[in-house]
Amino acid sequence: MDAGWSPSDIAFREEVRAFTRESLPADIRDKVMSGRPLARTDHMRWQDVLADRGWIAGFWPQRFGGCDWTPAQSYIFQEETTYAGAPWLLPFGVNYVGPVIYTYGTEEQKARHLPGIVSNEVFWCQGYSEPNAGSDLARLSTRADRDGDSYIVNGSKIWTSMAHWADWIFALVRTDARSKPQAGISFLLIDLRSPGVTIRPIRSIEGAHHLNQVFFDNVRVPVENRVGDENRGWTYAKFLLGHERVLSAEVGKGKRMLDRLRTIADRSGIADSHRYRERLNQLETDLLALEWTTLRMLEAVMDGSAPGYEASLLKLRGSTLVQAIAEATADALGPEAIPYDPACLEEGTNDPGDELARHMGIVSEFLFQRAPTIWGGSNEIQRNIISKHALGLG
Amino acid sequence: MKISQTEEQTLLSQSISRYLADRYDDAARRRAEAQACGYDRDTWTEIAELGWLGASVGESAGGFGGPREMAIVLEGAGRAMMAEPLVTACLALSILEAADPSHGSLPGLLSGNSMACGLAAQAGSGLSVTGRNGSRVLSGRFPTVHAGAAADLLVLALPDIAVALDPAARGIDMRAFRGMDGRRYADIVFRDVPLDDGSVLCEGETARPVADRASQVFSVATAAEASGIAARLFEETLAYVAQREQFGQPIGRFQALQHRLADMYVAVEEARSLALAAARSAEDDEAPGRAVSQAVVGTVDRALHVAKEAIQLHGGVGMTEDLPLGAGLRRIKVLQLMPGGAEDHRKRLTT
C-alpha cells in the first residue's frame, strides 16, 4: 500500500528517521518505550535537540522561525519521531499559543513570545477548562477586570497539564459578563511568576502528578498581553482547538505500541492464543483504518477541500485506539501487570533492572490512557461536532 | 422458587452497609493502604467482631453462614473498596471448615486476633508434594497472594492434600510488593517445605472435595467483590450526572448519556445476577463447573465496562485520586489478571 508520497516527502521521511536515530538520547527513548513518565528535563533535552536542528516548529512560517512544512511533512515528522520513541512534542507553545500569536497577535507580541518558543526557552501551559466549565467551555467564569493599563484576573483553571513546569499560561478569561457567553471572552498571556498565582497539584489515577489547578487571586496582567480584540477570544480559542486536534500523533504512537504488544505477547507465551490473536488483529485493523483516514484527511487539508470536522473524526478514533492498545498490553502481561508503585516511577527511584518494577510503565500507561478520550474536547463533544457539522443533525 | 435473601441475610447486609457508611470512607481506605501490611488491623478486629468472618463458614466451624453470606460481605467490601484481605481470609476459613472444622486456629481467626491466607490450587503453579526420607515435602509457587506477608497462617487446598502452615516455617520464602490496586501482595515460594502430621488437614480422597470447595469459594468471592465495585461506581456516576451542570442543565438530561447510564445499570444488575448464581452453585456444593467460571468472567467484564464508563462520564475529575473511580478500575483489573482470576477462568472456558 502506497499513499503516493512525492519524492521530496520520501526524502524528508528518510531525513527525519536518520536524524531521530542519531539524535534521540537513548535514555529518553527507553523511558518512552517502557511507558515510564518523563521529567521536565527529558522533554527539554529532546526539544533542545529539535530546536538546534530548527525543527521544533517546522510547520510555522519561516519568518517566525519555522520551516514552512506542508501538512504532509508535519505528519511525516510526527509519525517518524513518535514511532522511534521520541517524547510527545509538548504542544502548548508550538502548536497552540504560537500560531494564535503569529495569526492574531501584535508585532510586539510576536517579537516577544515567538523566539522563546522556537528556541525552547519558554515553557507554556494552557488555561482553558475550569471547575464549572469543561465541555461547556464558553461558560468559563475566570474574570479579567480592566484597571487602567492592566486587567485584574480572578478565578481558576483546572486540568492544566504541566503548569508546575511552566513559565507562562495562555488563558481564556471573561471580560464582559453581560453579553452572550461566547461574546465576552478574551485571550490573555499570563506570566506564572505574577503575584497572586498559585498552583495546586492534582494526582491522577496512575498516581503521578502532571495535572494542576491554577488559581488567580487579583493577578495583574498588562493589557498589552491580550491577544487580538477584547471579547473576541472565543474566535482565537476555536482556531487553537482546530490546531490541537488536527495534529494528533496517534498513528506513529499506535504503531510503536503495537510493536511492544507483540514483543510482550511473544515473551509471555500468549502469542498463539486465540483470544490474543483476535484482539491483535482487531487493533491492527483499527490502526490501518485510522492511518488511511488520516492520510485522506491530510490530502484534503492540502488541496483545500477539508470539511472542517476531520479533526473530530481522527481524535475520536485515535484516542480510543491508543487506549485499547494500552489495555491490551497490560492484559498481555497477565499477573505480571499487578506489581505497581507510583513511587517507583518517580524520577530517580525507578530501577528498570528490578524485575517487579519492569512493567510498571505499561501499567501507568494503561491507567493514564483513560484520559485522552476525556481531554481536548471529550469524545462526547467530538460526536456532537460530527453529528451537527458533518451530518447536519443539530 | 426462592432466590431472594432470607431475613437474616438482609439484616447482615444492612449491618454491613451501616458499618461501612459510618466507618469506612475513601480516606479510611487510603489510610489502610498506607499501613505497612496494607490494611488496618483495628478495622480487621472490628469487622471480625461484627461477624464478617463468621459469615463465611457454618456453625460446625464456629460461624453462622456459608457462601451466600460470604458473598454479601464481599459485595459490601467491594462497594467500599476495602483494602482488608477478606477474600483470602474467607478462603482460608472455608478450607479449614471443609477439611477440619475443629482446627485449633479457627477461634482466633474468627475473632480477628489472627489472619490466615487461603491458597487454592488454581492460583498456584508447579505445585508438588513428594516423599523424601520417609516424610513429605511441598514445593511450588503462589504468586500475588493478597496480604501474604501479614498472614499468621497459610492454608492450602491442593487436589490430594490440604495443609495449614506457619509462614515462618523452613523453606517458605516471600517477596512482598505493592499492587496496582494499592494493596500489599506477596509471591510465596515453597521449597521442600516439610509436611508433618500437625500441618496436614486432610489428604487422599477427602482432599479433592476440599480443593473443589476452595476453588468455588474463591470464585464466589471474586464475583461478589466485582459486583459490589460495579454497583458503587454506577451509583457514583448516577449521582454525578444528576448534579453536574453543563450547557445550562444537569448532564444527566442528555439522552446520549442517559443511554450510557442505562447500559451501566443493566451491567450492574447482570453482574449481581451472575455473582448470585455463583454463590448458589457453591451453596449447593456443586463441583466447579463452567457456569461458575462464566459467572466470574461475566461479573468482572461487566464491572470493567462500568468502571471505564464511570471515569469517562465524570470527565476530568474521573481521572483524579479525589474520587474512588480509579481505585475501582485498578481493583477490577487485578481481579481480572490475578492468578485464578477472570482471565484464568476465560482460558478454562475456551480451551
Side-chain angles (χ1 to χ4, degrees), chain A residues 131-132 134-136 159 202-205 275 327 331 334-335 337-342 356 366-367 370-371 373-374 380, chain B residues 144 175 177-180 244 246-247 260 304 308 311-312 315-321 326 330 333 336-338 343 346:
Chain A
N132 292 312
S135 287
D136 191 5
W159 319 130
I202 299 174
R203 210 155 272 280
S204 43
I205 61 172
R275 175 167 159 78
E327 183 171 18
D331 289 355
I338 294 175
Y340 183 69
D341 189 343
L356 284 171
F366 153 62
L367 294 167
R370 302 314 304 176
T373 51
I374 294 170
E380 287 72 22
Chain B
T144 322
R175 186 177 54 167
F177 58 91
R178 184 189 184 279
M180 80 163 101
R244 170 71 173 176
Q246 292 282 271
F247 305 103
R260 307 257 296 263
L304 195 57
K308 291 172 184 172
I311 291 173
Q312 183 70 25
V317 74
M319 277 302 294
T320 71
E321 284 293 85
R330 295 194 305 264
K333 197 39 102 173
Q336 180 194 346
L337 298 179
M338 68 186 182
E343 277 319 303
R346 199 192 310 272

Short mmCIF file of all heavy atoms in Angstrom, two decimals, chain A residues 131-132 134-136 159 202-205 275 327 331 334-335 337-342 356 366-367 370-371 373-374 380, chain B residues 144 175 177-180 244 246-247 260 304 308 311-312 315-321 326 330 333 336-338 343 346:
data_model
loop_
_atom_site.label_atom_id
_atom_site.label_comp_id
_atom_site.label_asym_id
_atom_site.label_seq_id
_atom_site.Cartn_x
_atom_site.Cartn_y
_atom_site.Cartn_z
N PRO A 131 -13.36 24.51 36.79
CA PRO A 131 -14.16 23.51 37.51
C PRO A 131 -15.61 23.44 37.00
O PRO A 131 -16.18 22.36 36.92
CB PRO A 131 -14.09 23.99 38.95
CG PRO A 131 -12.75 24.65 39.05
CD PRO A 131 -12.56 25.33 37.73
N ASN A 132 -16.19 24.59 36.64
CA ASN A 132 -17.58 24.56 36.17
C ASN A 132 -17.73 24.79 34.67
O ASN A 132 -18.83 25.01 34.18
CB ASN A 132 -18.42 25.58 36.94
CG ASN A 132 -18.57 25.17 38.40
OD1 ASN A 132 -18.90 24.02 38.70
ND2 ASN A 132 -18.27 26.08 39.31
N GLY A 134 -16.20 22.78 31.56
CA GLY A 134 -15.39 21.75 30.92
C GLY A 134 -15.84 21.62 29.48
O GLY A 134 -15.40 22.36 28.61
N SER A 135 -16.75 20.68 29.24
CA SER A 135 -17.31 20.55 27.90
C SER A 135 -17.99 21.85 27.48
O SER A 135 -17.94 22.25 26.33
CB SER A 135 -18.33 19.40 27.87
OG SER A 135 -17.65 18.16 27.94
N ASP A 136 -18.63 22.51 28.43
CA ASP A 136 -19.30 23.79 28.17
C ASP A 136 -18.32 24.92 28.44
O ASP A 136 -18.52 25.75 29.33
CB ASP A 136 -20.52 23.89 29.09
CG ASP A 136 -21.43 25.04 28.72
OD1 ASP A 136 -21.18 25.71 27.69
OD2 ASP A 136 -22.40 25.27 29.47
N TRP A 159 -7.16 21.11 35.28
CA TRP A 159 -6.61 20.10 34.36
C TRP A 159 -5.46 20.69 33.56
O TRP A 159 -5.22 20.31 32.42
CB TRP A 159 -7.67 19.51 33.40
CG TRP A 159 -8.99 19.25 34.04
CD1 TRP A 159 -10.21 19.65 33.58
CD2 TRP A 159 -9.24 18.53 35.26
NE1 TRP A 159 -11.20 19.24 34.43
CE2 TRP A 159 -10.63 18.56 35.47
CE3 TRP A 159 -8.42 17.89 36.19
CZ2 TRP A 159 -11.22 17.96 36.58
CZ3 TRP A 159 -9.01 17.30 37.29
CH2 TRP A 159 -10.39 17.34 37.47
N ILE A 202 -2.65 18.07 41.14
CA ILE A 202 -3.74 17.09 41.16
C ILE A 202 -3.14 15.74 40.79
O ILE A 202 -2.50 15.61 39.75
CB ILE A 202 -4.84 17.45 40.13
CG1 ILE A 202 -5.46 18.82 40.44
CG2 ILE A 202 -5.93 16.38 40.12
CD1 ILE A 202 -6.44 19.29 39.38
N ARG A 203 -3.33 14.77 41.68
CA ARG A 203 -2.77 13.45 41.41
C ARG A 203 -3.78 12.65 40.57
O ARG A 203 -4.96 12.62 40.88
CB ARG A 203 -2.46 12.74 42.72
CG ARG A 203 -1.29 11.78 42.62
CD ARG A 203 -0.60 11.54 43.95
NE ARG A 203 0.46 12.51 44.23
CZ ARG A 203 1.69 12.44 43.71
NH1 ARG A 203 2.02 11.48 42.88
NH2 ARG A 203 2.59 13.34 44.02
N SER A 204 -3.32 12.05 39.50
CA SER A 204 -4.24 11.29 38.66
C SER A 204 -4.18 9.81 39.00
O SER A 204 -3.38 9.37 39.83
CB SER A 204 -4.01 11.57 37.18
OG SER A 204 -2.65 11.59 36.86
N ILE A 205 -5.05 9.03 38.35
CA ILE A 205 -5.34 7.67 38.85
C ILE A 205 -4.16 6.72 38.73
O ILE A 205 -4.18 5.66 39.34
CB ILE A 205 -6.58 7.05 38.16
CG1 ILE A 205 -6.37 6.92 36.65
CG2 ILE A 205 -7.82 7.87 38.46
CD1 ILE A 205 -7.47 6.13 35.95
N ARG A 275 -7.56 -15.83 21.72
CA ARG A 275 -8.08 -14.55 22.20
C ARG A 275 -7.11 -13.41 21.89
O ARG A 275 -7.52 -12.34 21.43
CB ARG A 275 -8.32 -14.64 23.71
CG ARG A 275 -8.74 -13.33 24.35
CD ARG A 275 -9.26 -13.57 25.75
NE ARG A 275 -9.21 -12.36 26.55
CZ ARG A 275 -10.09 -11.37 26.47
NH1 ARG A 275 -11.06 -11.42 25.59
NH2 ARG A 275 -9.99 -10.31 27.26
N GLU A 327 -4.46 -1.00 27.04
CA GLU A 327 -5.09 -2.01 27.91
C GLU A 327 -4.71 -3.42 27.47
O GLU A 327 -4.41 -4.28 28.30
CB GLU A 327 -6.62 -1.86 27.92
CG GLU A 327 -7.25 -2.87 28.88
CD GLU A 327 -8.73 -2.64 29.11
OE1 GLU A 327 -9.37 -1.94 28.31
OE2 GLU A 327 -9.25 -3.19 30.12
N ASP A 331 -2.98 -6.30 29.71
CA ASP A 331 -3.60 -7.64 29.79
C ASP A 331 -2.62 -8.72 29.35
O ASP A 331 -2.61 -9.83 29.90
CB ASP A 331 -4.86 -7.70 28.93
CG ASP A 331 -6.00 -6.87 29.54
OD1 ASP A 331 -5.83 -6.35 30.65
OD2 ASP A 331 -7.04 -6.74 28.87
N GLY A 334 -0.59 -10.25 31.94
CA GLY A 334 -1.22 -11.14 32.91
C GLY A 334 -0.89 -10.68 34.33
O GLY A 334 -0.82 -9.48 34.60
N PRO A 335 -0.67 -11.64 35.25
CA PRO A 335 -0.40 -11.27 36.64
C PRO A 335 0.83 -10.38 36.81
O PRO A 335 0.96 -9.68 37.80
CB PRO A 335 -0.17 -12.62 37.33
CG PRO A 335 -0.83 -13.62 36.45
CD PRO A 335 -0.74 -13.09 35.05
N ALA A 337 1.31 -7.73 35.48
CA ALA A 337 0.90 -6.33 35.46
C ALA A 337 0.50 -5.85 36.86
O ALA A 337 0.29 -4.66 37.06
CB ALA A 337 -0.28 -6.14 34.51
N ILE A 338 0.38 -6.77 37.81
CA ILE A 338 -0.16 -6.37 39.11
C ILE A 338 0.84 -5.55 39.96
O ILE A 338 0.46 -4.54 40.54
CB ILE A 338 -0.71 -7.59 39.88
CG1 ILE A 338 -1.93 -8.12 39.10
CG2 ILE A 338 -1.10 -7.22 41.30
CD1 ILE A 338 -2.53 -9.40 39.64
N PRO A 339 2.14 -5.91 40.01
CA PRO A 339 3.05 -5.07 40.82
C PRO A 339 3.07 -3.64 40.27
O PRO A 339 3.32 -3.43 39.08
CB PRO A 339 4.42 -5.74 40.64
CG PRO A 339 4.11 -7.14 40.23
CD PRO A 339 2.84 -7.06 39.44
N TYR A 340 2.76 -2.69 41.11
CA TYR A 340 2.75 -1.30 40.65
C TYR A 340 2.89 -0.38 41.85
O TYR A 340 2.17 -0.50 42.83
CB TYR A 340 1.44 -0.98 39.92
CG TYR A 340 1.41 0.43 39.36
CD1 TYR A 340 2.24 0.76 38.30
CD2 TYR A 340 0.61 1.42 39.91
CE1 TYR A 340 2.25 2.05 37.79
CE2 TYR A 340 0.61 2.70 39.41
CZ TYR A 340 1.43 3.01 38.35
OH TYR A 340 1.45 4.29 37.84
N ASP A 341 3.83 0.54 41.75
CA ASP A 341 4.01 1.51 42.81
C ASP A 341 4.42 2.83 42.18
O ASP A 341 5.52 2.94 41.63
CB ASP A 341 5.10 1.01 43.77
CG ASP A 341 5.19 1.88 45.02
OD1 ASP A 341 4.65 3.01 44.98
OD2 ASP A 341 5.79 1.44 46.00
N PRO A 342 3.53 3.83 42.24
CA PRO A 342 3.86 5.10 41.59
C PRO A 342 5.18 5.67 42.09
O PRO A 342 5.89 6.32 41.32
CB PRO A 342 2.70 6.02 41.99
CG PRO A 342 1.60 5.13 42.40
CD PRO A 342 2.22 3.86 42.89
N LEU A 356 10.34 -6.62 39.49
CA LEU A 356 8.98 -6.21 39.82
C LEU A 356 8.61 -4.86 39.20
O LEU A 356 7.46 -4.61 38.89
CB LEU A 356 8.80 -6.12 41.34
CG LEU A 356 8.65 -7.45 42.07
CD1 LEU A 356 8.71 -7.23 43.57
CD2 LEU A 356 7.34 -8.12 41.69
N PHE A 366 -1.55 2.21 30.85
CA PHE A 366 -2.93 1.69 30.80
C PHE A 366 -3.87 2.61 31.56
O PHE A 366 -4.96 2.97 31.09
CB PHE A 366 -2.98 0.27 31.37
CG PHE A 366 -4.32 -0.11 31.95
CD1 PHE A 366 -5.46 -0.14 31.15
CD2 PHE A 366 -4.46 -0.40 33.30
CE1 PHE A 366 -6.70 -0.47 31.69
CE2 PHE A 366 -5.69 -0.72 33.84
CZ PHE A 366 -6.81 -0.74 33.04
N LEU A 367 -3.45 3.03 32.76
CA LEU A 367 -4.32 3.89 33.57
C LEU A 367 -4.43 5.29 32.98
O LEU A 367 -5.52 5.84 32.83
CB LEU A 367 -3.80 3.94 35.01
CG LEU A 367 -3.87 2.60 35.76
CD1 LEU A 367 -3.05 2.65 37.04
CD2 LEU A 367 -5.32 2.23 36.07
N ARG A 370 -6.75 6.42 30.00
CA ARG A 370 -8.18 6.72 30.11
C ARG A 370 -8.42 8.20 29.85
O ARG A 370 -9.57 8.61 29.62
CB ARG A 370 -8.74 6.35 31.50
CG ARG A 370 -8.58 4.91 31.94
CD ARG A 370 -8.92 3.86 30.94
NE ARG A 370 -10.27 3.94 30.38
CZ ARG A 370 -10.71 3.14 29.42
NH1 ARG A 370 -9.92 2.20 28.91
NH2 ARG A 370 -11.93 3.27 28.97
N ALA A 371 -7.37 9.02 29.90
CA ALA A 371 -7.55 10.48 29.79
C ALA A 371 -7.80 10.99 28.36
O ALA A 371 -8.61 11.89 28.17
CB ALA A 371 -6.36 11.20 30.41
N THR A 373 -9.58 10.18 25.94
CA THR A 373 -10.96 10.23 25.49
C THR A 373 -11.74 11.33 26.22
O THR A 373 -12.87 11.63 25.87
CB THR A 373 -11.67 8.88 25.70
OG1 THR A 373 -11.46 8.44 27.05
CG2 THR A 373 -11.11 7.82 24.75
N ILE A 374 -11.11 11.91 27.26
CA ILE A 374 -11.74 12.98 28.02
C ILE A 374 -11.20 14.35 27.60
O ILE A 374 -11.93 15.31 27.46
CB ILE A 374 -11.53 12.76 29.53
CG1 ILE A 374 -12.26 11.49 29.99
CG2 ILE A 374 -11.99 13.97 30.34
CD1 ILE A 374 -11.91 11.05 31.41
N GLU A 380 -17.39 12.70 23.66
CA GLU A 380 -18.81 13.02 23.55
C GLU A 380 -18.99 14.34 22.78
O GLU A 380 -19.89 14.46 21.94
CB GLU A 380 -19.44 13.13 24.95
CG GLU A 380 -19.62 11.78 25.67
CD GLU A 380 -18.32 11.15 26.15
OE1 GLU A 380 -17.32 11.89 26.31
OE2 GLU A 380 -18.29 9.92 26.35
N THR B 144 1.41 -13.50 43.90
CA THR B 144 0.39 -12.47 44.10
C THR B 144 -0.66 -12.87 45.13
O THR B 144 -1.87 -12.89 44.85
CB THR B 144 -0.29 -12.11 42.75
OG1 THR B 144 0.68 -12.12 41.72
CG2 THR B 144 -0.92 -10.74 42.80
N ARG B 175 8.23 -12.71 48.89
CA ARG B 175 8.67 -11.39 48.42
C ARG B 175 7.43 -10.50 48.35
O ARG B 175 6.50 -10.79 47.60
CB ARG B 175 9.33 -11.52 47.05
CG ARG B 175 9.93 -10.22 46.59
CD ARG B 175 10.65 -10.38 45.27
NE ARG B 175 9.76 -10.97 44.28
CZ ARG B 175 10.04 -11.00 42.98
NH1 ARG B 175 11.18 -10.52 42.54
NH2 ARG B 175 9.20 -11.53 42.12
N PHE B 177 5.23 -7.01 47.71
CA PHE B 177 5.22 -5.85 46.81
C PHE B 177 3.86 -5.19 46.84
O PHE B 177 2.88 -5.78 47.29
CB PHE B 177 5.60 -6.25 45.38
CG PHE B 177 4.70 -7.30 44.77
CD1 PHE B 177 3.57 -6.92 44.03
CD2 PHE B 177 4.96 -8.66 44.93
CE1 PHE B 177 2.75 -7.88 43.47
CE2 PHE B 177 4.13 -9.63 44.36
CZ PHE B 177 3.02 -9.23 43.63
N ARG B 178 3.81 -3.97 46.33
CA ARG B 178 2.55 -3.24 46.23
C ARG B 178 1.91 -3.54 44.89
O ARG B 178 2.58 -3.62 43.87
CB ARG B 178 2.84 -1.74 46.35
CG ARG B 178 1.62 -0.85 46.37
CD ARG B 178 2.05 0.61 46.26
NE ARG B 178 0.93 1.53 46.37
CZ ARG B 178 0.12 1.82 45.36
NH1 ARG B 178 0.29 1.27 44.18
NH2 ARG B 178 -0.86 2.68 45.54
N GLY B 179 0.60 -3.72 44.89
CA GLY B 179 -0.12 -3.98 43.65
C GLY B 179 -0.76 -2.72 43.09
O GLY B 179 -0.83 -1.71 43.77
N MET B 180 -1.24 -2.79 41.84
CA MET B 180 -1.81 -1.60 41.23
C MET B 180 -3.09 -1.15 41.94
O MET B 180 -3.51 -0.01 41.81
CB MET B 180 -2.03 -1.77 39.72
CG MET B 180 -3.26 -2.53 39.31
SD MET B 180 -3.66 -2.25 37.56
CE MET B 180 -3.02 -3.72 36.80
N ARG B 244 -24.00 17.49 38.11
CA ARG B 244 -23.06 18.23 37.27
C ARG B 244 -23.80 18.96 36.15
O ARG B 244 -24.45 18.33 35.31
CB ARG B 244 -22.04 17.26 36.66
CG ARG B 244 -21.15 17.83 35.58
CD ARG B 244 -20.14 18.81 36.14
NE ARG B 244 -19.19 19.23 35.10
CZ ARG B 244 -18.26 20.16 35.31
NH1 ARG B 244 -18.16 20.74 36.48
NH2 ARG B 244 -17.43 20.49 34.35
N GLN B 246 -23.79 21.36 32.80
CA GLN B 246 -23.10 21.96 31.66
C GLN B 246 -24.18 22.31 30.65
O GLN B 246 -25.21 21.64 30.57
CB GLN B 246 -22.08 20.99 31.04
CG GLN B 246 -20.88 20.68 31.94
CD GLN B 246 -19.84 21.79 31.96
OE1 GLN B 246 -18.92 21.82 31.17
NE2 GLN B 246 -20.00 22.72 32.90
N PHE B 247 -23.94 23.31 29.86
CA PHE B 247 -24.92 23.77 28.86
C PHE B 247 -26.28 24.05 29.53
O PHE B 247 -27.33 23.73 28.98
CB PHE B 247 -25.08 22.74 27.73
CG PHE B 247 -23.78 22.39 27.07
CD1 PHE B 247 -23.14 21.19 27.35
CD2 PHE B 247 -23.18 23.27 26.17
CE1 PHE B 247 -21.93 20.86 26.75
CE2 PHE B 247 -21.96 22.94 25.56
CZ PHE B 247 -21.33 21.74 25.86
N ARG B 260 -26.10 5.64 28.06
CA ARG B 260 -24.90 5.03 28.64
C ARG B 260 -25.17 4.62 30.09
O ARG B 260 -24.75 3.55 30.53
CB ARG B 260 -23.73 6.03 28.60
CG ARG B 260 -23.48 6.61 27.20
CD ARG B 260 -22.32 6.01 26.51
NE ARG B 260 -21.05 6.24 27.13
CZ ARG B 260 -20.18 7.19 26.77
NH1 ARG B 260 -20.50 8.05 25.81
NH2 ARG B 260 -19.01 7.26 27.33
N LEU B 304 -15.69 -4.05 34.67
CA LEU B 304 -14.67 -3.30 33.93
C LEU B 304 -15.34 -2.27 33.02
O LEU B 304 -14.91 -1.11 32.94
CB LEU B 304 -13.83 -4.29 33.12
CG LEU B 304 -12.50 -3.81 32.55
CD1 LEU B 304 -11.59 -3.28 33.66
CD2 LEU B 304 -11.80 -4.96 31.81
N LYS B 308 -14.87 1.89 33.39
CA LYS B 308 -14.39 2.77 32.32
C LYS B 308 -15.43 3.85 32.01
O LYS B 308 -15.08 5.02 31.83
CB LYS B 308 -14.12 1.95 31.05
CG LYS B 308 -12.94 1.02 31.17
CD LYS B 308 -12.89 0.13 29.94
CE LYS B 308 -11.77 -0.89 30.05
NZ LYS B 308 -11.84 -1.86 28.93
N ILE B 311 -15.47 6.60 34.73
CA ILE B 311 -14.40 7.60 34.58
C ILE B 311 -14.74 8.55 33.43
O ILE B 311 -14.68 9.77 33.56
CB ILE B 311 -13.05 6.90 34.36
CG1 ILE B 311 -12.61 6.19 35.65
CG2 ILE B 311 -11.99 7.90 33.91
CD1 ILE B 311 -11.38 5.33 35.51
N GLN B 312 -15.14 7.98 32.30
CA GLN B 312 -15.43 8.81 31.12
C GLN B 312 -16.55 9.81 31.41
O GLN B 312 -16.47 10.98 31.05
CB GLN B 312 -15.79 7.91 29.94
CG GLN B 312 -16.05 8.65 28.63
CD GLN B 312 -14.79 9.25 28.03
OE1 GLN B 312 -13.68 8.77 28.27
NE2 GLN B 312 -14.95 10.32 27.26
N GLY B 315 -15.66 12.80 33.35
CA GLY B 315 -14.74 13.75 32.74
C GLY B 315 -13.46 13.86 33.55
O GLY B 315 -13.04 12.91 34.22
N GLY B 316 -12.84 15.05 33.50
CA GLY B 316 -11.53 15.25 34.11
C GLY B 316 -11.44 14.77 35.55
O GLY B 316 -10.47 14.11 35.94
N VAL B 317 -12.47 15.05 36.33
CA VAL B 317 -12.40 14.70 37.75
C VAL B 317 -12.38 13.18 37.94
O VAL B 317 -11.89 12.68 38.95
CB VAL B 317 -13.57 15.37 38.53
CG1 VAL B 317 -14.89 14.69 38.25
CG2 VAL B 317 -13.27 15.40 40.02
N GLY B 318 -12.89 12.46 36.94
CA GLY B 318 -12.84 10.99 37.00
C GLY B 318 -11.43 10.45 36.91
O GLY B 318 -11.17 9.31 37.31
N MET B 319 -10.51 11.26 36.38
CA MET B 319 -9.11 10.84 36.24
C MET B 319 -8.30 11.10 37.50
O MET B 319 -7.10 10.84 37.53
CB MET B 319 -8.45 11.58 35.07
CG MET B 319 -8.70 10.99 33.70
SD MET B 319 -8.16 9.26 33.54
CE MET B 319 -6.37 9.40 33.69
N THR B 320 -8.94 11.66 38.54
CA THR B 320 -8.16 12.05 39.71
C THR B 320 -8.36 11.11 40.88
O THR B 320 -9.36 10.39 40.96
CB THR B 320 -8.56 13.46 40.19
OG1 THR B 320 -9.87 13.38 40.78
CG2 THR B 320 -8.59 14.45 39.05
N GLU B 321 -7.41 11.17 41.78
CA GLU B 321 -7.50 10.39 43.01
C GLU B 321 -8.42 11.04 44.03
O GLU B 321 -8.58 10.53 45.14
CB GLU B 321 -6.10 10.16 43.59
CG GLU B 321 -5.31 9.10 42.83
CD GLU B 321 -5.91 7.71 42.97
OE1 GLU B 321 -6.83 7.38 42.18
OE2 GLU B 321 -5.49 6.98 43.87
N GLY B 326 -10.80 5.60 40.01
CA GLY B 326 -9.55 4.97 39.60
C GLY B 326 -9.26 3.75 40.47
O GLY B 326 -8.81 2.71 39.98
N ARG B 330 -8.67 -0.02 39.08
CA ARG B 330 -7.44 -0.75 39.37
C ARG B 330 -7.74 -2.08 40.07
O ARG B 330 -7.11 -3.11 39.78
CB ARG B 330 -6.50 0.11 40.23
CG ARG B 330 -6.01 1.36 39.51
CD ARG B 330 -4.84 2.01 40.25
NE ARG B 330 -5.16 2.29 41.64
CZ ARG B 330 -5.58 3.45 42.10
NH1 ARG B 330 -5.71 4.47 41.29
NH2 ARG B 330 -5.86 3.60 43.37
N LYS B 333 -9.15 -4.52 37.55
CA LYS B 333 -8.09 -5.04 36.67
C LYS B 333 -7.33 -6.15 37.39
O LYS B 333 -6.95 -7.14 36.78
CB LYS B 333 -7.19 -3.88 36.27
CG LYS B 333 -6.28 -4.09 35.08
CD LYS B 333 -6.87 -4.86 33.96
CE LYS B 333 -7.33 -4.09 32.77
NZ LYS B 333 -7.77 -4.95 31.64
N GLN B 336 -9.27 -9.28 37.37
CA GLN B 336 -9.20 -9.89 36.04
C GLN B 336 -7.88 -10.65 35.84
O GLN B 336 -7.89 -11.79 35.36
CB GLN B 336 -9.33 -8.79 34.98
CG GLN B 336 -9.28 -9.31 33.55
CD GLN B 336 -9.08 -8.20 32.53
OE1 GLN B 336 -9.23 -7.02 32.83
NE2 GLN B 336 -8.73 -8.57 31.32
N LEU B 337 -6.76 -10.02 36.22
CA LEU B 337 -5.46 -10.56 35.83
C LEU B 337 -4.80 -11.44 36.89
O LEU B 337 -3.83 -12.14 36.61
CB LEU B 337 -4.49 -9.40 35.50
CG LEU B 337 -4.91 -8.51 34.32
CD1 LEU B 337 -3.88 -7.40 34.12
CD2 LEU B 337 -5.06 -9.33 33.05
N MET B 338 -5.32 -11.43 38.12
CA MET B 338 -4.64 -12.17 39.20
C MET B 338 -4.69 -13.68 38.93
O MET B 338 -5.56 -14.17 38.21
CB MET B 338 -5.30 -11.87 40.55
CG MET B 338 -6.71 -12.43 40.68
SD MET B 338 -7.47 -11.90 42.22
CE MET B 338 -9.04 -12.75 42.10
N GLU B 343 -9.31 -13.89 33.95
CA GLU B 343 -8.64 -14.34 32.70
C GLU B 343 -8.36 -15.84 32.75
O GLU B 343 -8.47 -16.52 31.73
CB GLU B 343 -7.35 -13.56 32.45
CG GLU B 343 -7.50 -12.22 31.77
CD GLU B 343 -8.51 -12.17 30.62
OE1 GLU B 343 -8.39 -12.94 29.66
OE2 GLU B 343 -9.45 -11.35 30.70
N ARG B 346 -11.50 -17.51 31.92
CA ARG B 346 -11.80 -17.37 30.49
C ARG B 346 -11.02 -18.41 29.68
O ARG B 346 -11.55 -19.05 28.78
CB ARG B 346 -11.47 -15.96 30.01
CG ARG B 346 -12.18 -15.60 28.69
CD ARG B 346 -11.63 -14.34 28.06
NE ARG B 346 -11.52 -13.21 28.95
CZ ARG B 346 -12.49 -12.33 29.18
NH1 ARG B 346 -13.64 -12.46 28.58
NH2 ARG B 346 -12.29 -11.33 30.00
#
